[in-house]
Amino acid sequence: MPGFETVDEVLGWLDVQRERMTMTARPIPLEDLRNWHLDPVSGNLGHESGKFFSVEGVRVTDPAGPVPAWDQPIIHQPEIGILGILADRSRIGPTRFLMQAKFEPGNPGGVQLSPTVQATRSNYLRVHGGRPVPYLEHFRDVDPESVLADVRQSEQGAWFFRKRNRNMIVESRDAIEPREGFCWVGLPLLLQLLHVPDLLNMDARTVLACAPPEALAGVETVGGGARSGSLSWITDQRTGTELTAELIPLNETARWRLDDGMIRHDSGGHFTILGVEVTATGREVSSWHQPMLAPTGPGIVGALVTREGGTVSVLMRSRTEPGCTDGAELGPTVQCQPDTLERHPERLAPPFLDRFLSPEPGSVRFDVVQSEEGGRFYFARNRYMVVEIDGRLPAPAGFRWFGLDEISDFMRHSFYLNVQARSIALCLTSLVAAHA
Amino acid sequence: MPGFETVDEVLGWLDVQRERMTMTARPIPLEDLRNWHLDPVSGNLGHESGKFFSVEGVRVTDPAGPVPAWDQPIIHQPEIGILGILADRSRIGPTRFLMQAKFEPGNPGGVQLSPTVQATRSNYLRVHGGRPVPYLEHFRDVDPESVLADVRQSEQGAWFFRKRNRNMIVESRDAIEPREGFCWVGLPLLLQLLHVPDLLNMDARTVLACAPPEALAGVETVGGGARSGSLSWITDQRTGTELTAELIPLNETARWRLDDGMIRHDSGGHFTILGVEVTATGREVSSWHQPMLAPTGPGIVGALVTREGGTVSVLMRSRTEPGCTDGAELGPTVQCQPDTLERHPERLAPPFLDRFLSPEPGSVRFDVVQSEEGGRFYFARNRYMVVEIDGRLPAPAGFRWFGLDEISDFMRHSFYLNVQARSIALCLTSLVAAHA
C-alpha cells in the first residue's frame, strides 16, 4: 500500500471513514450517566467499575501567583496509557507513520487523524470487555533497539491531576498492510496536515513532537542539546515553585456547583463538567455514557520565535499547574483562555498576549485552530499561533529563550515541556521543514 | 591561597579542624529528645517548630517484588535543600573545588570533607536562628551562565520519603580566599581522596558526580549521550512499576515498635530510629537533640563494569524504592544490607552479590567504605566496590548495561540515577581518570 501523497487524498479518506463510523455525541445531565456514580458524600463522579477515570476536586494554593488559592474540579486518571505510532523507514524517502482515523466524542468533526494506538491501561487490559486494540503488540514487550521515541509526558495540568501517558514511536520490522481505518502517511504530508484545523488530534501531535530529529528528515538539528544554563534556570523555577494541589471532595470545591445537570463555576468561566451520551456503530461498544470537561471558550497557545544566525529560538514560560507531576514545566509564550480572562477583570492579561491578538503585520507564521484530547474534553480548542519577531526581546521573570535543539533534547525526557508546548514545537518543526 | 597538593596535607588539615570543632554525639532515648515531640496519637516524631524533618510511617505495596507489602518508618523532609560546590577554573590546571570540613553527628570520624554549602531550606532561612550559611549567596540568584551543574536529585529512597536536594556546581567569578574550615582542592586530588574511607561525605560525592565531563579534565567523554533504546528501557521500567507508598501514622507500622527508647523492627534488622544528643563548640548552636536512622549493619554497593573498545560500561539495576518521587531509578548492580538478608532467610540474595562477596582474583578495581548522610543517618556505611568482568554478561530482567557517556547524560537530569549509583559513578570517574 503506497500511502497518501496529498492533503486532499487524506481529507477524502477521512470523509469515507466518517461515514463508516456514524457516531454521535450529545450532552445529557450528569445525574443520568449510565454506569457512572455521583457519590452522595463526596460529590465525586466515578465509573461503577472503579476504572477509567473520575472527576474529583482539587484545592490549590499558589502564594506567589496572580490567584493565591482556588478550588476546581479535576480529572483523575492515575493510569499511564500508551500513545504509540508505528514508523516505517524501510523505503527510500521520508519516514512514514501509521495513522488511524479515530472518532472521539469531544472532537469537532468527530473523526481525526490519531496515533496507531491510543489506549488507556483500562483499554488495553480490556476492562470494558471490548475488542483487542489493533497493533498494540508492537508497543508491548518492544525491542528497545527499534524504538525511535519512548517517554512519559504530561497532559493538560489545568484539567488532569498528574496525568501521564507513554509517548512511543516504534519502527516496524515487517511490512504492514494497514487495516481498515488505518493508513500510512509520510512525514512531510503529516506536517502539511498540521496546517488544517482540527485534523491531527492532540495525541498524534504530542507523539510526533517526540520524534527524534534524525527521523524528521530535512529538519535542522544544529546545536548540542540543552545548555547547562538552561537546565539551571529550569531547576531554579522548579525549586522555587510553591504551588500545592491536594485532592478534595468535589462537592467541597468553593465557587463550583452542580446545577442543571452540569458542574459550573459561579463566574460562568473556566470550564463545565457535563455528561455525554455517545452512540456508535464502528467502535468497541455501540453506546456509552461518560462525563467530559467542556471549556467555556477557545484558548490561545502562542509562541514568539526569532531567527538568529540560522537557528530558531522560542520564548518559553515556566508554568506550574495543579496537575503537574514534578513542579514547573515549560509552556509556550502565551497560554490562556480569553473568555475567562474577560470574566475576571481583576486579573491581568498574561504578558505578550497582544502580540497574538493584534500581531504586527507580516509577523504571523502559523495560525491554526487545533483540538485537544477528544476523549475527555468536549470541544476544547486552541488557536495555535507562531509569531516571529526581530531578535530576542528581554525575557521577563519566568520566561526564557530556548533554541530548537534544546527543545529537541527536552523532548527525550519526561516533564520538561507541557502538552501545549509540545504541540507548538511540532508547528515549529513544520515551519522549519517547509523552509528546508 | 594555593590549596592542597597531597592526600596527607588534606588529612593533616582535617585533623586540625577536628580539634577546632570538638563535637560529640551520643545516643539518648527518643522520649528524652529536647524540642522534639512524639505525637501521642500517631506516634510520629516531629520538631516542635514544625520544621526540619519528621519520622513517620509508610505503608508499601509492591505486588511484583520479593516482599509484596510492608510497613516501615521513614524520614519525611519535603523541603528541597541546596548542596553546592564553588568551582574555580581561573588558573591553568585542573578545576579546583571549595570544600568544607564539616562535622555531622552520624559520620564516623565526625568531620568529613563536604560541599561548600550544605543547607536544608530550614538552615538557609535560619529557622533555628543560627548564623548565616557561608558562601550561600553564590548559590542563590545565581547567574545561569556560571553554572556547571544544577539539578534536583533524589536521596536514599529506602529511608527518605521523596527527598530531593538541589545539586549545584557554580563557577566563582572572583578569587575567593577560603574562610576558616574551608579549602580549595583540585579535582585529581579529590578523586584520590575518594579512595580514603569515610572522608568525602555523601553530599560531596553526589554533587561531584553531577559535574559535567568538561569540568573533569582527563576523563573520557566518548559517545553521544543516552541512546533511544536505553531511554525506552527506563520508560518501560518506570511504567511497569506497581509499587505504592503511602504515609501512615508511625505507630501503625506493623512489626515496628518503640522499645527501650528506640524504634526497631521485630527481626532486629533493617534499621533503628534512635535519639542523639550533639554537643558542639564550632557550629551554629552549641547543643541540640535529634532523631537519627541507624542501619543495623553496613551495606554493599557494587558495580560490575566491563571495558570494550575503549569505553566502559556498567551493569545497572532498575530500583523502585518507597521514597522515589517518580518511579524507578537506576541503581548500581548490587545494593543491599547483608546483615538484614541473613535475618530473612526466606529472601533470596540479590543477583551478582557473590561477585562482590567472593570476587574473582584480580577483578576488584575499587573497594572503599564510605559513609552516607551524617545529618540524618547514624553510622550508615556502605562498602563501595567496582568489579571488572570480561565482556558484557547477559543482563537479567531489571538489569541493563549502560555506557559511561550515557551515565553522564543522565546526571544532567533529575531522578535517573539513585544516590548510590551517583556515588559509584564518581568512583568510576576516579578509576578512568587514573588511567587517563
Side-chain angles (χ1 to χ4, degrees):
Chain A
M1 163 122 190
F4 294 114
E5 300 294 332
T6 67
V7 169
D8 283 345
E9 280 174 22
V10 174
L11 296 180
W13 179 76
L14 280 174
D15 282 341
V16 173
Q17 299 303 318
R18 275 187 196 104
E19 295 198 1
R20 195 174 65 84
M21 296 199 194
T22 58
M23 303 182 85
T24 56
R26 73 178 181 92
I28 60 173
L30 285 174
E31 297 91 335
D32 296 349
L33 287 178
R34 191 173 64 229
N35 299 132
W36 289 81
H37 182 63
L38 255 174
D39 188 273
V41 176
S42 66
N44 290 350
L45 256 169
H47 193 259
E48 285 166 0
S49 68
K51 300 283 180 179
F52 300 107
F53 63 94
S54 58
V55 182
E56 307 184 17
V58 69
R59 177 153 294 164
V60 188
T61 69
D62 183 19
V67 183
W70 75 91
D71 294 347
Q72 65 167 79
I74 201 156
I75 300 175
H76 191 205
Q77 183 173 5
E79 307 174 337
I80 301 180
I82 292 177
L83 307 178
I85 301 186
L86 270 179
D88 175 11
R89 302 203 284 185
S90 65
R91 296 144 44 107
I92 292 169
T95 306
R96 301 189 311 159
F97 296 99
L98 188 62
M99 306 303 290
Q100 180 184 180
K102 189 170 175 70
F103 172 90
E104 294 284 3
N107 280 347
V111 171
Q112 296 192 358
L113 216 51
S114 309
T116 318
V117 164
Q118 181 178 317
T120 63
R121 199 172 155 88
S122 299
N123 269 156
Y124 66 69
L125 298 179
R126 296 158 72 187
V127 171
H128 52 8
R131 278 170 280 163
V133 177
Y135 301 111
L136 180 64
E137 66 278 12
H138 294 272
F139 300 93
R140 303 196 69 182
D141 300 317
V142 71
D143 169 15
E145 305 318 315
S146 64
V147 168
L148 299 180
D150 184 1
V151 59
R152 295 165 313 144
Q153 296 288 12
S154 66
E155 297 192 0
Q156 284 77 2
W159 298 339
F160 276 125
F161 190 71
R162 300 184 187 165
K163 171 89 178 291
R164 295 169 290 181
N165 270 325
R166 187 171 175 179
N167 287 240
M168 302 178 78
I169 304 180
V170 173
E171 199 172 345
S172 63
R173 292 300 184 191
D174 307 306
I176 288 176
E177 184 65 27
R179 293 168 174 242
E180 172 102 59
F182 291 79
C183 64
W184 286 108
V185 187
L187 183 72
L189 181 52
L190 273 177
L191 293 177
Q192 286 176 51
L193 291 167
L194 188 60
H195 294 246
V196 180
D198 299 316
L199 195 147
L200 265 184
N201 85 352
M202 183 193 87
D203 295 338
R205 300 197 307 274
T206 171
V207 176
L208 290 170
C210 296
E214 65 268 21
L216 304 176
V219 174
E220 73 175 335
T221 59
V222 290
R227 258 75 74 193
S228 294
S230 298
L231 292 173
S232 177
W233 185 85
I234 293 169
T235 297
D236 194 63
Q237 294 291 319
R238 285 179 170 167
T239 309
T241 298
E242 292 187 70
L243 183 141
T244 65
E246 173 195 13
L247 290 176
I248 60 170
L250 183 51
N251 59 16
E252 288 181 16
T253 49
R255 305 190 61 184
W256 292 83
R257 54 189 288 202
L258 176 60
D259 181 31
D260 200 19
M262 291 181 274
I263 295 167
R264 288 194 276 217
H265 192 252
D266 64 14
S267 70
H270 304 289
F271 58 82
T272 300
I273 303 290
L274 45 76
V276 171
E277 176 182 63
V278 187
T279 312
T281 54
R283 198 172 158 119
E284 295 88 349
V285 289
S286 59
S287 159
W288 76 89
H289 288 183
Q290 68 171 90
M292 300 192 82
L293 186 155
T296 52
I300 288 193
V301 173
L304 284 183
V305 302
T306 191
R307 195 177 278 266
E308 287 173 326
T311 69
V312 173
S313 301
V314 54
L315 184 62
M316 311 286 289
R317 183 174 198 181
S318 159
R319 291 184 71 89
T320 310
E321 296 175 317
C324 286
T325 296
D326 185 34
E329 300 188 6
L330 297 177
T333 317
V334 165
Q335 172 187 327
C336 71
Q337 195 176 312
D339 80 291
T340 296
L341 274 179
E342 282 164 20
R343 284 189 174 86
H344 294 271
E346 75 282 8
R347 295 199 207 165
L348 294 175
F352 307 115
L353 180 58
D354 275 350
R355 300 253 184 184
F356 300 93
L357 294 181
S358 315
E360 299 273 316
S363 68
V364 177
R365 298 285 165 269
F366 189 94
D367 185 3
V368 181
V369 172
Q370 300 284 6
S371 39
E372 306 302 322
E373 227 279 82
R376 299 289 173 266
F377 309 137
Y378 192 72
F379 285 71
R381 305 171 88 202
N382 279 306
R383 182 176 170 192
Y384 284 85
M385 296 183 74
V386 175
V387 166
E388 184 168 349
I389 61 173
D390 194 17
R392 295 183 172 199
L393 51 75
F399 289 79
R400 187 177 168 92
W401 288 96
F402 292 91
L404 276 198
D405 60 319
E406 296 191 286
I407 303 285
S408 259
D409 197 13
F410 294 146
M411 214 67 92
R412 308 182 78 203
H413 305 286
S414 298
F415 314 142
Y416 277 103
L417 297 163
N418 75 5
V419 65
Q420 291 88 354
R422 298 198 306 277
S423 261
I424 211 92
L426 191 68
C427 302
L428 288 170
T429 299
S430 80
L431 296 174
V432 174
H435 286 88
Chain B
M1 162 120 188
F4 295 113
E5 300 296 331
T6 68
V7 168
D8 284 344
E9 280 173 22
V10 175
L11 296 181
W13 179 78
L14 280 174
D15 282 341
V16 173
Q17 299 303 317
R18 275 188 197 103
E19 295 197 2
R20 195 174 66 83
M21 297 202 194
T22 58
M23 302 183 83
T24 55
R26 72 177 180 95
I28 60 172
L30 286 174
E31 296 90 337
D32 295 349
L33 287 179
R34 192 174 63 231
N35 299 132
W36 288 81
H37 180 66
L38 255 173
D39 188 274
V41 176
S42 67
N44 291 351
L45 257 169
H47 194 258
E48 285 166 0
S49 68
K51 300 282 178 178
F52 300 108
F53 63 95
S54 58
V55 182
E56 307 183 18
V58 67
R59 178 152 293 164
V60 188
T61 68
D62 182 20
V67 183
W70 74 92
D71 294 348
Q72 64 167 80
I74 201 157
I75 300 174
H76 192 203
Q77 184 173 4
E79 306 175 338
I80 299 180
I82 291 178
L83 307 177
I85 300 185
L86 270 179
D88 175 12
R89 300 202 287 184
S90 67
R91 297 144 44 104
I92 292 170
T95 307
R96 299 188 313 159
F97 297 98
L98 188 61
M99 306 303 291
Q100 179 185 180
K102 189 171 175 70
F103 173 90
E104 294 285 1
N107 279 347
V111 171
Q112 296 192 358
L113 216 51
S114 310
T116 319
V117 163
Q118 180 178 315
T120 63
R121 198 172 156 89
S122 300
N123 269 156
Y124 66 69
L125 298 180
R126 296 158 70 187
V127 171
H128 53 7
R131 279 170 278 163
V133 177
Y135 302 111
L136 181 64
E137 66 277 13
H138 294 271
F139 302 93
R140 303 195 69 181
D141 300 317
V142 71
D143 169 14
E145 305 316 316
S146 64
V147 167
L148 300 179
D150 184 2
V151 59
R152 296 165 312 145
Q153 295 289 12
S154 66
E155 296 193 0
Q156 283 76 4
W159 298 338
F160 276 126
F161 190 71
R162 300 185 187 164
K163 171 88 178 294
R164 294 169 290 181
N165 270 325
R166 186 169 174 180
N167 287 240
M168 302 179 79
I169 303 179
V170 173
E171 199 172 343
S172 64
R173 293 295 183 196
D174 308 307
I176 288 176
E177 185 65 26
R179 294 169 172 241
E180 172 100 59
F182 290 80
C183 64
W184 286 108
V185 187
L187 183 73
L189 181 53
L190 274 176
L191 294 178
Q192 285 175 51
L193 290 166
L194 187 61
H195 295 246
V196 181
D198 298 317
L199 195 148
L200 266 184
N201 84 353
M202 184 193 88
D203 295 338
R205 300 195 308 275
T206 171
V207 176
L208 290 170
C210 296
E214 64 269 22
L216 305 175
V219 173
E220 73 174 337
T221 58
V222 291
R227 258 74 75 193
S228 294
S230 297
L231 292 172
S232 175
W233 185 85
I234 293 169
T235 298
D236 194 62
Q237 294 292 319
R238 286 179 169 166
T239 310
T241 299
E242 293 187 68
L243 183 141
T244 66
E246 174 195 12
L247 289 176
I248 60 170
L250 184 51
N251 59 15
E252 288 181 15
T253 50
R255 304 191 60 184
W256 293 83
R257 53 188 289 199
L258 175 61
D259 181 29
D260 201 18
M262 293 180 272
I263 295 167
R264 288 193 276 217
H265 193 251
D266 64 15
S267 71
H270 304 289
F271 58 81
T272 300
I273 303 290
L274 44 76
V276 171
E277 177 183 61
V278 186
T279 311
T281 55
R283 199 171 158 122
E284 295 89 349
V285 290
S286 60
S287 160
W288 76 90
H289 288 183
Q290 68 171 92
M292 299 193 83
L293 184 155
T296 54
I300 288 193
V301 173
L304 285 183
V305 303
T306 191
R307 196 177 277 267
E308 285 174 327
T311 70
V312 174
S313 301
V314 53
L315 185 62
M316 311 286 288
R317 185 176 195 177
S318 159
R319 292 185 70 91
T320 310
E321 295 175 317
C324 286
T325 296
D326 184 35
E329 300 188 7
L330 297 178
T333 317
V334 166
Q335 173 187 326
C336 70
Q337 195 176 310
D339 81 290
T340 297
L341 274 178
E342 281 164 22
R343 284 188 174 86
H344 294 271
E346 75 283 7
R347 294 198 207 166
L348 294 176
F352 306 115
L353 179 58
D354 276 350
R355 300 253 184 185
F356 299 92
L357 295 181
S358 317
E360 299 272 318
S363 68
V364 177
R365 298 283 166 270
F366 189 95
D367 185 2
V368 182
V369 172
Q370 302 283 5
S371 39
E372 305 301 323
E373 227 278 81
R376 298 289 172 268
F377 310 137
Y378 192 72
F379 285 73
R381 305 172 87 203
N382 279 306
R383 183 176 170 192
Y384 284 85
M385 296 183 73
V386 175
V387 167
E388 183 170 352
I389 60 173
D390 192 18
R392 296 184 170 197
L393 51 74
F399 290 79
R400 187 177 168 93
W401 289 96
F402 293 90
L404 276 197
D405 60 318
E406 295 191 286
I407 304 286
S408 261
D409 197 13
F410 293 146
M411 216 68 91
R412 307 182 79 202
H413 306 286
S414 298
F415 315 141
Y416 276 104
L417 296 164
N418 75 5
V419 66
Q420 292 87 353
R422 298 197 305 276
S423 261
I424 211 90
L426 190 68
C427 302
L428 288 171
T429 298
S430 80
L431 296 175
V432 174
H435 285 88

